[in-house]
Amino acid sequence: LLVSNDYGVGWASHWLDVARYAVSNGFTIYGPRSIWKYRDWVIKSINQNMPFDQFVTEQLAGDLLPTPTTDQLIATGFHRNTLINQEGGTNPEQFRVEAVVDRVNTTGSAFLGLTVGCAQCHKHKYDPITQRDFYQLYAIFNSTADINSASPTLPLPTVKQKVKQQELKKEVANFTKQLAGRKKSLASEFQQWKQEIQQSLQTADKPWSLLKTQSAKSQNGATITTLKDRSLLVGGAIPNNDTYVIETATIPSGTTGLRLEVLTHESLPQMGPGWATNGNFVLDELTIEVTHQSKSGWSKFEAVNLSHATADHSQEKFPASYLVDGDLKTGWAINVKKGKMNVNRHAVIKLKEPLASSEPMKLRVTLKQTRDSKYNVGRFRLATTTVNPRVLNVDAAVAAILKQPEEKWNAKQKTTLNEAFYQSDAQWSDLNQQLTKSKSEQTKLNKSIVTTMVMKERPKPRDTFILLRGNLLAPGARVSPGVPEVLPPMPPAVKAPTRLDFAKWLTSKQQPLTARVTVNRYWQRLFGKGLVETENDFGTQGTTPTHPQLLDWLAYEFMRADWNVKELHRLIVTSAAYRQASDFSKKNQEPDPRNLLLSRQNRYRLEAESIRDLFLASSGLLTRNIGGPSVYPPQPEGIYVLTQNKKSWPEEKGENRYRRGMYTYFWRSSPYPMLPTFDAPNSNTTCTRRVRSNTPLQALTLANDQSLFELIQGFAVRILEEGPDYDEGRLRQAFQICLSRAPTDHELEVLVRYLSEQRTYFEKSPQEAAEVASKKFPEKVAVAEVASWTAVARVLMNLDEFITRE
């Protein structure tokens, strides 16, 4: 049992309660957070039998260790499990202070067994802990970098992602260097470019010739109508995505570029120019092909090499350059943050080489739209030009600047001209496009890398003051980091203790309280209650130890064995006290009614996640993978009806559907309903002991919960597939799987009779049988038979004995 990976999973579940672990931020918005790598660290550390003093140190101050490892940084997620308020209008400092208070309170409960939080506003009413003591502990945690935020976070790329990061880093550096070199070589051509444009502006008022369309087709069933101004209007049944293919009339030799105008129209949403509900579109790719006429007729269409594309307006992250990048996952769009969409726009596509020929030429222009949401162009028009390629992409803003005397140009206008000049150069434009693409890939890759929230200390510590009555707006006397005076002091050499100093003090042999609290909590886990029943309150209001010498001896042995957790567990579970039966004895009822003296072993109902795990294991469907992100097993509808934000719940379909309960995605304000039904904590504050209630809702959940009934169906299939081929043998095996014992003669008789009754019913009610039976059952087994065994499985998995530890 100690070497099983399941050991770490079981014990990690209890530690995560202490760490108030959840994968959402809390409060009413309770957005998601990425911190599941901390959960993986806890499981791995427990399985590797990390000494408890190291386990504590790495969680409280792993970032302060000399040259901390990645795992030691991940471990600091322990105190990043505090709540974050994402509501608008909040004061970040208020919730930073609340997070620090929570860290002090959690530390007091988890390691010292003291209710130090009672001293936040005034002196503790019962224990010798002053308000100064509280804020001295507060000062130890007061200089972390987080301020009601997910940051700081630690990226955790896989080996493959690291390799790709390095490749993209080299690409970006290479393109940046080449761009700088190209800029340098172009410097002498700026004046010539400027003069060419100014001359073009004087002599060519209308450099664009509208293209006449010979044919225009929609590949997915829309209609394309040619209007009087030679524009094309798309209508009819608009598909979710579409490709337009336009064949033109002849074009002049020397064509250097194509202009695509997207135009408004009253028939389009918001007057267009696109078919999206707001009038937008996303044009993913534009290609051009050319054909030549000879004596034998028109030649086969051949692709035209395109240099780059620019536009008079592009939506952020959807530049016109994406029109010719060869990637259907990118595209040109024109949405605006402010203003209306019903504005004509245009993009200019520059050819790498002019189309020169003594024979007539025609073009075929293809517009590809792949977004699956009717983001198609609604009205457009094509034109060609033969102007000098260097001045082809000059827009109205550049033209307006160049019409002014040079001495009137301001710094912004000069920058605009420089950018336009560089973009006019095909080589620079290609390099810039490749750089943009590499940077985009970098951004996409970095977003895909898993991160985890970690602790980080500020370069300069914050000043800490006693907050009068706990009010952050009423600071009192300044205090320095320190520990409560009632406890053993820090070593004299430590003048201003850090989190690392504090962690070492917590597990010092001169400060045995941590060891006592810890062994008591392990005892509580194994016996149902601790030697000190109030496991989070070792103060004057807590219960006294039932066996004080045993508590001290266990604490001493724990420290003497260098905080070896597995050895402590072995010591306890091999003891005569632990190995007792949990059978009730009348002779011990009067002298020990609550079994505090351990005249027998305790029995108790299992915890929420363990109950789900029991169903999974009994059904044979349990996925035993260790670690990884949280999952989404089936849950009832309507969970988010009363929440501020409706959360996505993408129900799992594969093996993740059957992962252990501890991996279930836990939204703090709308938790997976089975878990709180069986007393799982809300993870807003530390939980050192789960209460156990007994409610009708629990029985209803076991019998009717969607995800649990699916596992009951799986158990029935398992019985039919793996059990003997006769009723009594199958019932005995089912009993053994569920309850780890053989049935009594009376129990077997009752189950045989019940099975027979169910068969009779379901054979007469085939529709009900189909509803009850699993959709996946052995061939040659009747549906009524599967439904009957499902009913039996449901009985066995709803017994108190099934969810009770004996």
Side-chain angles (χ1 to χ4, degrees):
L1 291 175
L2 291 174
V3 299
S4 166
N5 284 333
D6 294 338
Y7 169 85
V9 174
W11 286 98
S13 178
H14 294 272
W15 185 255
L16 294 175
D17 281 358
V18 175
R20 64 268 193 243
Y21 176 84
V23 282
S24 72
N25 290 328
F27 295 102
T28 57
I29 293 180
Y30 65 108
R33 64 172 48 170
S34 178
I35 199 169
W36 58 267
K37 284 286 186 178
Y38 168 73
R39 178 176 59 198
D40 283 4
W41 177 88
V42 172
I43 296 171
K44 182 173 73 171
S45 300
I46 292 173
N47 273 332
Q48 292 176 347
N49 199 25
M50 178 182 286
F52 188 77
D53 58 343
Q54 182 182 346
F55 185 70
V56 172
T57 298
E58 293 191 5
Q59 290 184 87
L60 293 185
D63 57 310
L64 300 181
L65 292 167
T67 59
T69 65
T70 298
D71 275 358
Q72 288 169 338
L73 294 174
I74 293 172
T76 63
F78 175 78
H79 268 325
R80 291 305 319 279
N81 283 309
T82 50
L83 276 60
I84 295 173
N85 194 337
Q86 297 174 287
E87 298 170 33
T90 57
N91 180 357
E93 177 64 11
Q94 175 189 347
F95 294 98
R96 184 196 73 80
V97 168
E98 289 191 14
V100 178
V101 168
D102 176 80
R103 288 164 188 165
V104 175
N105 296 344
T106 297
T107 301
S109 295
F111 304 111
L112 299 173
L114 294 175
T115 55
V116 294
C118 294
Q120 178 186 351
C121 303
H122 47 70
K123 181 180 178 181
H124 200 295
K125 289 186 178 296
Y126 304 107
D127 295 333
I129 302 173
T130 66
Q131 194 179 14
R132 176 175 289 274
D133 287 334
F134 179 88
Y135 284 100
Q136 286 182 164
L137 287 172
Y138 179 100
I140 293 172
F141 297 98
N142 194 31
S143 293
T144 55
D146 58 295
I147 305 179
N148 192 42
S149 61
S151 61
T153 58
L154 176 69
L156 299 167
T158 63
V159 173
K160 187 176 180 180
Q161 287 172 327
K162 284 181 180 178
V163 171
K164 188 62 177 177
Q165 277 183 319
Q166 291 302 315
E167 290 176 356
L168 289 173
K169 185 178 180 180
K170 288 179 181 177
E171 280 185 19
V172 168
N174 182 40
F175 290 137
T176 301
K177 184 178 179 181
Q178 291 185 60
L179 274 172
R182 186 59 183 164
K183 274 188 177 183
K184 190 175 181 181
S185 65
L186 287 173
S188 60
E189 300 180 26
F190 179 73
Q191 290 300 325
Q192 180 184 348
W193 172 80
K194 183 183 68 174
Q195 291 170 3
E196 287 175 350
I197 295 175
Q198 290 172 330
Q199 183 179 359
S200 174
L201 291 171
Q202 293 172 0
T203 59
D205 292 332
K206 295 182 179 180
W208 292 98
S209 300
L210 295 178
L211 276 176
K212 185 176 181 180
T213 300
Q214 284 194 338
S215 71
K217 296 179 181 178
S218 156
Q219 288 189 353
N220 290 341
T223 60
I224 301 181
T225 305
T226 303
L227 305 182
K228 291 181 179 180
D229 62 355
R230 296 192 177 181
S231 66
L232 301 171
L233 180 64
V234 182
I238 304 301
N240 281 340
N241 57 71
D242 209 349
T243 296
Y244 307 152
V245 181
I246 298 92
E247 293 188 11
T248 72
T250 57
I251 62 169
S253 178
T255 293
T256 57
L258 178 82
R259 183 179 69 189
L260 169 67
E261 294 177 274
V262 287
L263 308 169
T264 63
H265 195 269
E266 60 187 9
S267 67
L268 300 172
Q270 305 296 322
M271 290 191 67
W275 267 107
T277 54
N278 64 346
N280 196 14
F281 62 86
V282 181
L283 181 55
D284 297 309
E285 201 69 18
L286 181 149
T287 60
I288 303 174
E289 298 165 283
V290 65
T291 179
H292 300 80
Q293 186 180 36
S294 62
K295 293 180 180 180
S296 59
W298 289 96
S299 65
K300 183 180 179 181
F301 277 103
E302 296 179 349
V304 175
N305 292 326
L306 308 180
S307 172
H308 59 279
T310 57
D312 61 340
H313 169 74
S314 294
Q315 181 179 329
E316 186 178 357
K317 298 182 180 179
F318 290 84
S321 60
Y322 286 167
L323 281 173
V324 295
D325 66 350
D327 187 354
L328 289 177
K329 293 181 180 179
T330 64
W332 176 46
I334 61 167
N335 197 12
V336 291
K337 292 182 178 179
K338 294 182 180 180
K340 297 182 178 181
M341 290 291 297
N342 57 337
V343 178
N344 295 336
R345 304 290 188 187
H346 72 265
V348 174
I349 297 88
K350 182 178 174 182
L351 312 186
K352 281 197 173 180
E353 299 291 341
L355 293 176
S357 175
S358 58
E359 301 171 337
M361 294 181 291
K362 293 181 182 180
L363 297 182
R364 182 161 70 189
V365 181
T366 303
L367 309 182
K368 298 180 180 179
Q369 298 140 127
T370 65
R371 298 288 155 155
D372 277 335
S373 50
K374 295 188 179 180
Y375 268 70
N376 306 331
V377 174
R379 182 185 173 208
F380 61 99
R381 183 167 58 188
L382 300 172
T384 58
T385 187
T386 58
V387 302
N388 189 324
R390 290 294 301 275
V391 301
L392 184 58
N393 290 323
V394 173
D395 60 22
V398 173
I401 295 170
L402 289 172
K403 287 179 181 179
Q404 301 177 33
E406 191 166 340
E407 58 270 15
K408 291 188 177 181
W409 296 347
N410 58 36
K412 185 177 180 180
Q413 289 173 324
K414 289 178 181 178
T415 300
T416 300
L417 285 178
N418 280 327
E419 287 300 314
F421 166 60
Y422 294 132
Q423 289 175 7
S424 73
D425 180 72
Q427 186 178 344
W428 186 94
S429 185
D430 284 347
L431 288 170
N432 189 54
Q433 188 170 313
Q434 292 178 74
L435 176 62
T436 300
K437 189 173 182 180
S438 293
K439 286 184 174 180
S440 177
E441 286 183 31
Q442 266 188 330
T443 301
K444 186 177 179 181
L445 175 63
N446 290 337
K447 285 183 178 179
S448 70
I449 291 172
V450 171
T451 62
T452 191
M453 297 162 65
V454 296
M455 296 284 271
K456 184 179 180 182
E457 201 76 356
R458 285 161 46 98
K460 183 181 179 182
R462 289 186 178 91
D463 292 332
T464 300
F465 303 87
I466 294 175
L467 301 182
L468 304 180
R469 303 190 68 80
N471 183 358
L472 78 133
L473 300 179
R478 188 192 302 268
V479 295
S480 300
V483 297
E485 289 187 13
V486 71
L487 296 176
M490 283 275 184
V494 179
K495 302 301 182 185
T498 63
R499 283 184 283 118
L500 181 58
D501 296 320
F502 178 67
K504 291 179 178 178
W505 172 83
L506 274 177
T507 52
S508 165
K509 292 182 180 179
Q510 282 68 50
Q511 197 288 104
L513 183 54
T514 302
R516 285 181 177 145
V517 169
T518 303
V519 297
N520 184 68
R521 196 162 294 135
Y522 287 139
W523 187 277
Q524 169 187 276
R525 169 72 179 90
L526 293 166
F527 284 86
K529 60 172 65 78
L531 297 170
V532 176
E533 196 169 358
T534 54
E535 85 301 327
N536 64 343
D537 188 358
F538 274 48
T540 59
Q541 294 298 296
T543 58
T544 56
T546 55
H547 304 74
Q549 290 179 315
L550 174 59
L551 178 65
D552 280 354
W553 180 76
L554 286 171
Y556 172 79
E557 285 295 305
F558 191 33
M559 291 188 290
R560 187 186 63 81
D562 296 325
W563 304 88
N564 189 318
V565 177
K566 286 189 176 183
E567 280 304 308
L568 178 67
H569 290 170
R570 182 192 299 276
L571 175 66
I572 295 174
V573 301
T574 57
S575 68
Y578 181 81
R579 290 185 288 122
Q580 293 181 105
S582 51
D583 297 338
F584 175 74
S585 173
K586 283 188 176 181
K587 70 175 183 178
N588 296 320
Q589 174 67 13
E590 187 175 339
D592 188 18
R594 296 185 59 217
N595 195 36
L596 297 178
L597 301 179
L598 297 175
S599 55
R600 57 179 170 82
Q601 180 58 276
N602 290 310
R603 66 195 305 180
Y604 52 82
R605 194 207 73 219
L606 295 179
E607 293 167 344
E609 297 89 344
S610 297
I611 292 173
R612 174 168 170 78
D613 294 350
L614 266 181
F615 273 82
L616 285 164
S618 298
S619 70
L621 295 171
L622 175 64
T623 299
R624 293 186 176 274
N625 298 343
I626 303 296
S630 297
V631 297
Y632 302 85
Q635 74 170 359
E637 295 181 2
I639 300 303
Y640 305 111
V641 169
L642 299 177
T643 60
Q644 181 171 333
N645 288 336
K646 183 176 181 180
K647 302 301 182 184
S648 171
W649 192 267
E651 187 176 297
E652 306 287 355
K653 301 300 181 184
E655 63 178 11
N656 281 344
R657 189 180 184 92
Y658 306 113
R659 296 210 68 188
R660 291 180 177 277
M662 76 174 300
Y663 293 110
T664 300
Y665 204 103
F666 195 89
W667 292 108
R668 279 185 162 110
S669 297
S670 56
Y672 188 69
M674 181 218 165
L675 300 180
T677 298
F678 285 93
D679 308 312
N682 60 18
S683 293
N684 289 341
T685 56
T686 185
C687 174
T688 54
R689 176 172 56 92
R690 294 190 184 186
V691 298
R692 285 187 174 86
S693 63
N694 190 358
T695 69
L697 186 57
Q698 293 168 356
L700 291 170
T701 298
L702 293 180
N704 302 318
D705 179 81
Q706 173 189 352
S707 64
L708 295 185
F709 188 74
E710 179 181 336
L711 302 180
I712 291 171
Q713 292 174 317
F715 183 38
V717 172
R718 180 183 179 186
I719 296 168
L720 290 168
E721 288 182 334
E722 300 179 8
D725 59 358
Y726 61 101
D727 290 349
E728 184 177 321
R730 283 174 173 165
L731 288 170
R732 288 184 182 278
Q733 184 181 49
F735 221 92
Q736 189 68 42
I737 290 172
C738 275
L739 306 178
S740 299
R741 67 175 178 87
T744 64
D745 291 342
H746 175 68
E747 288 169 334
L748 191 60
E749 179 186 343
V750 170
L751 286 174
V752 168
R753 186 168 62 249
Y754 179 71
L755 176 62
S756 177
E757 293 171 354
Q758 297 304 305
R759 277 193 183 125
T760 301
Y761 174 77
F762 284 121
E763 284 170 358
K764 294 179 180 178
S765 309
Q767 185 175 347
E768 285 83 348
E771 292 175 355
V772 170
S774 169
K775 299 299 182 285
K776 300 176 182 178
F777 56 85
E779 295 181 8
K780 299 181 181 179
V781 178
V783 174
E785 184 73 1
V786 179
S788 301
W789 280 101
T790 301
V792 172
R794 193 184 196 189
V795 168
L796 293 176
M797 298 172 98
N798 274 268
L799 295 173
D800 282 345
E801 187 177 349
F802 181 62
I803 60 170
T804 301
R805 191 204 78 158
E806 292 281 359

